[in-house]
Amino acid sequence: MIGISKLYCGTVEASDPLRYGRDSSQLPSSLLQFSEDKKPVVVWNCTKRCNLKCKHCYSASTNQPDPNELTDDEAKVMIDDLAAFGAPVILFSGGEPLMRPGVTDLISYARAAGLRAVVSTNGNLIDKPMAAKLAEAGLSYVGVSLDGLKEINDKFRGVDGAFDRALTGIRNCLEAEVKVGLRFTLN
């Protein structure tokens, strides 16, 4: 299957898999769908903590730590297992993954293990120092969730100012040269 929107937007061409080969370890992230050795992209809800109160939350997140979350040592074992399996990508999600203490260290660890690391976030915690840490950790991509313009987004996210903070987070990522994109829930 060819991603029509990718072709339409000029981010991938049908000949790219031929040019790069089809080994997932040699493909840019945008072309993983074309690999012959497809392995699952792993989404890890690394914390249930969250700073927002989204109406659509599937993880019943709160602003409290969860005692059942993996410790950093347990997380490193999992990351090593994923790397040994050949998973091409680990997506840090949540809750709000940037609320997990030491998440940038785990991102660095995943990168050192050979995984591409991406984050799915509400963007509200990406100040300039955090954007710099994400860049330093070798993060491949940040997906920031927005669910409409300011009024709709803030109502949907349950916190006033969430939209403006998300835009600031996006700008901070761009300034730090971290690839960033939007994620949204259609409703």
Side-chain angles (χ1 to χ4, degrees):
M1 175 171 67
I2 296 174
I4 297 300
S5 62
K6 289 182 181 181
L7 287 172
Y8 183 74
C9 295
T11 59
V12 67
E13 296 177 13
S15 61
D16 282 344
L18 298 174
R19 183 179 313 122
Y20 288 101
R22 298 192 60 189
D23 178 354
S24 64
S25 68
Q26 304 302 311
L27 287 172
S29 298
S30 61
L31 300 177
L32 285 175
Q33 66 185 358
F34 298 109
S35 70
E36 286 180 329
D37 59 333
K38 286 187 173 106
K39 300 271 176 108
V41 169
V42 175
V43 177
W44 176 34
N45 292 339
C46 64
T47 186
K48 286 184 76 175
R49 290 190 68 188
C50 190
N51 54 328
L52 299 183
K53 301 170 189 160
C54 303
K55 293 181 179 185
H56 67 296
C57 183
Y58 61 86
S59 69
S61 294
T62 65
N63 199 356
Q64 300 295 319
D66 186 323
N68 294 318
E69 292 175 6
L70 296 180
T71 66
D72 287 353
D73 289 338
E74 292 168 334
K76 288 176 180 178
V77 169
M78 177 194 68
I79 289 168
D80 289 339
D81 287 346
L82 292 173
F85 174 71
V89 177
I90 182 169
L91 187 151
F92 291 80
S93 190
E96 172 50 53
L98 300 181
M99 289 191 76
R100 181 187 171 107
V103 72
T104 55
D105 294 333
L106 292 173
I107 291 166
S108 294
Y109 189 87
R111 293 291 297 133
L115 295 165
R116 289 181 178 115
V118 299
V119 167
S120 182
T121 175
N122 61 44
N124 281 226
L125 301 176
I126 306 177
D127 56 14
K128 289 180 188 285
M130 177 56 76
K133 286 180 185 178
L134 295 172
E136 184 180 320
L139 195 68
S140 298
Y141 172 82
V142 175
V144 177
S145 298
L146 285 176
D147 294 298
L149 296 177
K150 185 176 182 171
E151 182 180 330
I152 292 171
N153 182 81
D154 287 1
K155 185 175 180 183
F156 203 65
R157 297 281 165 178
V159 175
D160 288 339
F163 180 82
D164 290 334
R165 284 188 297 277
L167 289 183
T168 298
I170 290 167
R171 289 182 187 106
N172 290 337
C173 285
L174 293 172
E175 187 176 306
E177 298 183 3
V178 175
K179 184 178 178 182
V180 64
L182 297 179
R183 296 171 181 252
F184 52 90
T185 303
L186 294 175
N187 62 71

